[in-house]
PDB file of all heavy atoms in Angstrom:
ATOM      1  N   ASP W 101       1.369  -4.147  -9.118  1.00 95.00           N
ATOM      2  CA  ASP W 101       2.201  -4.875 -10.052  1.00 95.00           C
ATOM      3  C   ASP W 101       2.463  -4.238 -11.303  1.00 95.00           C
ATOM      4  O   ASP W 101       1.681  -3.566 -11.772  1.00 95.00           O
ATOM      5  CB  ASP W 101       1.236  -6.208 -10.262  1.00 95.00           C
ATOM      6  CG  ASP W 101       1.958  -7.351 -10.923  1.00 95.00           C
ATOM      7  OD1 ASP W 101       2.598  -7.058 -11.970  1.00 95.00           O
ATOM      8  OD2 ASP W 101       1.886  -8.464 -10.475  1.00 95.00           O
ATOM      9  N   ARG W 102       3.633  -4.472 -11.798  1.00 94.00           N
ATOM     10  CA  ARG W 102       4.021  -3.801 -13.031  1.00 94.00           C
ATOM     11  C   ARG W 102       3.717  -4.480 -14.333  1.00 94.00           C
ATOM     12  O   ARG W 102       3.931  -3.928 -15.341  1.00 94.00           O
ATOM     13  CB  ARG W 102       5.564  -3.474 -12.999  1.00 94.00           C
ATOM     14  CG  ARG W 102       6.091  -2.763 -11.793  1.00 94.00           C
ATOM     15  CD  ARG W 102       5.790  -1.242 -11.893  1.00 94.00           C
ATOM     16  NE  ARG W 102       4.443  -1.099 -11.266  1.00 94.00           N
ATOM     17  CZ  ARG W 102       3.712   0.140 -11.583  1.00 94.00           C
ATOM     18  NH1 ARG W 102       4.292   1.133 -12.315  1.00 94.00           N
ATOM     19  NH2 ARG W 102       2.591   0.385 -10.992  1.00 94.00           N
ATOM     20  N   THR W 103       3.172  -5.721 -14.287  1.00 92.00           N
ATOM     21  CA  THR W 103       2.827  -6.376 -15.434  1.00 92.00           C
ATOM     22  C   THR W 103       1.413  -6.610 -15.691  1.00 92.00           C
ATOM     23  O   THR W 103       0.860  -6.478 -16.769  1.00 92.00           O
ATOM     24  CB  THR W 103       3.499  -7.871 -15.404  1.00 92.00           C
ATOM     25  OG1 THR W 103       3.061  -8.568 -14.309  1.00 92.00           O
ATOM     26  CG2 THR W 103       5.075  -7.668 -15.356  1.00 92.00           C
ATOM     27  N   GLN W 104       0.585  -6.842 -14.674  1.00 92.00           N
ATOM     28  CA  GLN W 104      -0.878  -7.024 -14.777  1.00 92.00           C
ATOM     29  C   GLN W 104      -1.583  -6.713 -13.480  1.00 92.00           C
ATOM     30  O   GLN W 104      -1.074  -7.045 -12.453  1.00 92.00           O
ATOM     31  CB  GLN W 104      -1.275  -8.456 -15.315  1.00 92.00           C
ATOM     32  CG  GLN W 104      -0.922  -9.528 -14.399  1.00 92.00           C
ATOM     33  CD  GLN W 104      -1.280 -10.915 -14.989  1.00 92.00           C
ATOM     34  OE1 GLN W 104      -1.601 -11.072 -16.045  1.00 92.00           O
ATOM     35  NE2 GLN W 104      -1.169 -11.981 -14.076  1.00 92.00           N
ATOM     36  N   VAL W 105      -2.745  -6.085 -13.624  1.00 93.00           N
ATOM     37  CA  VAL W 105      -3.529  -5.726 -12.458  1.00 93.00           C
ATOM     38  C   VAL W 105      -5.034  -5.969 -12.704  1.00 93.00           C
ATOM     39  O   VAL W 105      -5.585  -5.547 -13.793  1.00 93.00           O
ATOM     40  CB  VAL W 105      -3.325  -4.175 -12.129  1.00 93.00           C
ATOM     41  CG1 VAL W 105      -4.202  -3.756 -10.962  1.00 93.00           C
ATOM     42  CG2 VAL W 105      -1.870  -4.002 -11.947  1.00 93.00           C
ATOM     43  N   SER W 106      -5.691  -6.668 -11.764  1.00 92.00           N
ATOM     44  CA  SER W 106      -7.135  -6.990 -12.006  1.00 92.00           C
ATOM     45  C   SER W 106      -7.885  -5.521 -11.850  1.00 92.00           C
ATOM     46  O   SER W 106      -7.457  -4.667 -11.263  1.00 92.00           O
ATOM     47  CB  SER W 106      -7.628  -7.844 -10.959  1.00 92.00           C
ATOM     48  OG  SER W 106      -7.591  -7.291  -9.693  1.00 92.00           O
ATOM     49  N   ASP W 107      -9.174  -5.550 -12.284  1.00 92.00           N
ATOM     50  CA  ASP W 107      -9.991  -4.464 -12.148  1.00 92.00           C
ATOM     51  C   ASP W 107     -10.231  -4.154 -10.669  1.00 92.00           C
ATOM     52  O   ASP W 107     -10.239  -2.946 -10.234  1.00 92.00           O
ATOM     53  CB  ASP W 107     -11.360  -4.606 -12.812  1.00 92.00           C
ATOM     54  CG  ASP W 107     -11.198  -4.681 -14.365  1.00 92.00           C
ATOM     55  OD1 ASP W 107     -10.211  -4.198 -14.858  1.00 92.00           O
ATOM     56  OD2 ASP W 107     -12.151  -5.149 -15.035  1.00 92.00           O
ATOM     57  N   GLU W 108     -10.323  -5.159  -9.831  1.00 89.00           N
ATOM     58  CA  GLU W 108     -10.582  -5.003  -8.403  1.00 89.00           C
ATOM     59  C   GLU W 108      -9.339  -4.328  -7.704  1.00 89.00           C
ATOM     60  O   GLU W 108      -9.498  -3.371  -7.007  1.00 89.00           O
ATOM     61  CB  GLU W 108     -10.824  -6.250  -7.734  1.00 89.00           C
ATOM     62  CG  GLU W 108     -12.102  -6.964  -8.149  1.00 89.00           C
ATOM     63  CD  GLU W 108     -12.034  -7.821  -9.464  1.00 89.00           C
ATOM     64  OE1 GLU W 108     -10.889  -7.962  -9.972  1.00 89.00           O
ATOM     65  OE2 GLU W 108     -13.077  -8.232  -9.900  1.00 89.00           O
ATOM     66  N   ALA W 109      -8.166  -4.736  -8.116  1.00 90.00           N
ATOM     67  CA  ALA W 109      -6.943  -4.172  -7.558  1.00 90.00           C
ATOM     68  C   ALA W 109      -6.768  -2.758  -8.057  1.00 90.00           C
ATOM     69  O   ALA W 109      -6.347  -1.869  -7.310  1.00 90.00           O
ATOM     70  CB  ALA W 109      -5.767  -5.066  -7.941  1.00 90.00           C
ATOM     71  N   GLU W 110      -7.121  -2.518  -9.293  1.00 94.00           N
ATOM     72  CA  GLU W 110      -6.996  -1.066  -9.882  1.00 94.00           C
ATOM     73  C   GLU W 110      -7.942  -0.211  -9.059  1.00 94.00           C
ATOM     74  O   GLU W 110      -7.562   0.904  -8.729  1.00 94.00           O
ATOM     75  CB  GLU W 110      -7.399  -1.172 -11.391  1.00 94.00           C
ATOM     76  CG  GLU W 110      -7.248   0.382 -11.930  1.00 94.00           C
ATOM     77  CD  GLU W 110      -7.650   0.489 -13.330  1.00 94.00           C
ATOM     78  OE1 GLU W 110      -7.993  -0.560 -13.953  1.00 94.00           O
ATOM     79  OE2 GLU W 110      -7.539   1.556 -13.896  1.00 94.00           O
ATOM     80  N   ALA W 111      -9.083  -0.792  -8.678  1.00 93.00           N
ATOM     81  CA  ALA W 111     -10.071   0.128  -7.930  1.00 93.00           C
ATOM     82  C   ALA W 111      -9.338   0.490  -6.499  1.00 93.00           C
ATOM     83  O   ALA W 111      -9.614   1.631  -6.049  1.00 93.00           O
ATOM     84  CB  ALA W 111     -11.436  -0.606  -7.681  1.00 93.00           C
ATOM     85  N   VAL W 112      -8.643  -0.413  -5.881  1.00 91.00           N
ATOM     86  CA  VAL W 112      -8.007  -0.156  -4.668  1.00 91.00           C
ATOM     87  C   VAL W 112      -6.909   1.030  -4.870  1.00 91.00           C
ATOM     88  O   VAL W 112      -6.855   1.888  -4.037  1.00 91.00           O
ATOM     89  CB  VAL W 112      -7.236  -1.338  -4.116  1.00 91.00           C
ATOM     90  CG1 VAL W 112      -6.331  -1.038  -2.922  1.00 91.00           C
ATOM     91  CG2 VAL W 112      -8.365  -2.433  -3.738  1.00 91.00           C
ATOM     92  N   TRP W 113      -6.047   0.899  -5.956  1.00 95.00           N
ATOM     93  CA  TRP W 113      -5.041   1.926  -6.138  1.00 95.00           C
ATOM     94  C   TRP W 113      -5.687   3.252  -6.502  1.00 95.00           C
ATOM     95  O   TRP W 113      -5.223   4.295  -6.018  1.00 95.00           O
ATOM     96  CB  TRP W 113      -4.173   1.504  -7.316  1.00 95.00           C
ATOM     97  CG  TRP W 113      -3.390   0.244  -6.899  1.00 95.00           C
ATOM     98  CD1 TRP W 113      -3.526  -1.014  -7.214  1.00 95.00           C
ATOM     99  CD2 TRP W 113      -2.246   0.426  -5.880  1.00 95.00           C
ATOM    100  NE1 TRP W 113      -2.615  -1.640  -6.544  1.00 95.00           N
ATOM    101  CE2 TRP W 113      -1.701  -0.983  -5.786  1.00 95.00           C
ATOM    102  CE3 TRP W 113      -1.541   1.385  -5.349  1.00 95.00           C
ATOM    103  CZ2 TRP W 113      -0.774  -1.191  -4.903  1.00 95.00           C
ATOM    104  CZ3 TRP W 113      -0.409   1.089  -4.462  1.00 95.00           C
ATOM    105  CH2 TRP W 113       0.016  -0.230  -4.294  1.00 95.00           C
ATOM    106  N   ASP W 114      -6.866   3.234  -7.248  1.00 96.00           N
ATOM    107  CA  ASP W 114      -7.532   4.485  -7.443  1.00 96.00           C
ATOM    108  C   ASP W 114      -8.154   5.216  -6.249  1.00 96.00           C
ATOM    109  O   ASP W 114      -8.117   6.423  -6.040  1.00 96.00           O
ATOM    110  CB  ASP W 114      -8.581   4.313  -8.606  1.00 96.00           C
ATOM    111  CG  ASP W 114      -7.961   4.180  -9.876  1.00 96.00           C
ATOM    112  OD1 ASP W 114      -6.847   4.655 -10.195  1.00 96.00           O
ATOM    113  OD2 ASP W 114      -8.652   3.631 -10.824  1.00 96.00           O
ATOM    114  N   TYR W 115      -8.622   4.306  -5.358  1.00 95.00           N
ATOM    115  CA  TYR W 115      -9.134   4.700  -4.108  1.00 95.00           C
ATOM    116  C   TYR W 115      -8.090   5.447  -3.207  1.00 95.00           C
ATOM    117  O   TYR W 115      -8.228   6.497  -2.753  1.00 95.00           O
ATOM    118  CB  TYR W 115      -9.807   3.558  -3.181  1.00 95.00           C
ATOM    119  CG  TYR W 115     -10.553   4.052  -2.058  1.00 95.00           C
ATOM    120  CD1 TYR W 115     -11.884   4.603  -2.286  1.00 95.00           C
ATOM    121  CD2 TYR W 115      -9.959   3.994  -0.787  1.00 95.00           C
ATOM    122  CE1 TYR W 115     -12.548   5.078  -1.082  1.00 95.00           C
ATOM    123  CE2 TYR W 115     -10.662   4.512   0.389  1.00 95.00           C
ATOM    124  CZ  TYR W 115     -11.961   4.951   0.085  1.00 95.00           C
ATOM    125  OH  TYR W 115     -12.602   5.495   1.200  1.00 95.00           O
ATOM    126  N   TYR W 116      -6.927   4.718  -3.147  1.00 96.00           N
ATOM    127  CA  TYR W 116      -5.809   5.362  -2.395  1.00 96.00           C
ATOM    128  C   TYR W 116      -5.405   6.637  -2.953  1.00 96.00           C
ATOM    129  O   TYR W 116      -5.235   7.621  -2.331  1.00 96.00           O
ATOM    130  CB  TYR W 116      -4.581   4.473  -2.392  1.00 96.00           C
ATOM    131  CG  TYR W 116      -4.529   3.444  -1.319  1.00 96.00           C
ATOM    132  CD1 TYR W 116      -4.678   2.122  -1.642  1.00 96.00           C
ATOM    133  CD2 TYR W 116      -4.386   3.831   0.019  1.00 96.00           C
ATOM    134  CE1 TYR W 116      -4.556   1.157  -0.663  1.00 96.00           C
ATOM    135  CE2 TYR W 116      -4.302   2.853   0.960  1.00 96.00           C
ATOM    136  CZ  TYR W 116      -4.378   1.478   0.677  1.00 96.00           C
ATOM    137  OH  TYR W 116      -4.448   0.519   1.641  1.00 96.00           O
ATOM    138  N   THR W 117      -5.269   6.792  -4.398  1.00 96.00           N
ATOM    139  CA  THR W 117      -4.941   7.964  -5.005  1.00 96.00           C
ATOM    140  C   THR W 117      -6.000   9.119  -4.851  1.00 96.00           C
ATOM    141  O   THR W 117      -5.542  10.273  -4.564  1.00 96.00           O
ATOM    142  CB  THR W 117      -4.735   7.686  -6.497  1.00 96.00           C
ATOM    143  OG1 THR W 117      -3.812   6.660  -6.668  1.00 96.00           O
ATOM    144  CG2 THR W 117      -4.385   8.872  -7.289  1.00 96.00           C
TER     145      THR W 117
END
Side-chain angles (χ1 to χ4, degrees):
D101 189 308
R102 302 286 86 199
T103 58
Q104 64 182 9
V105 178
S106 69
D107 291 341
E108 295 83 8
E110 181 180 2
V112 170
W113 291 102
D114 285 339
Y115 188 82
Y116 275 111
T117 300

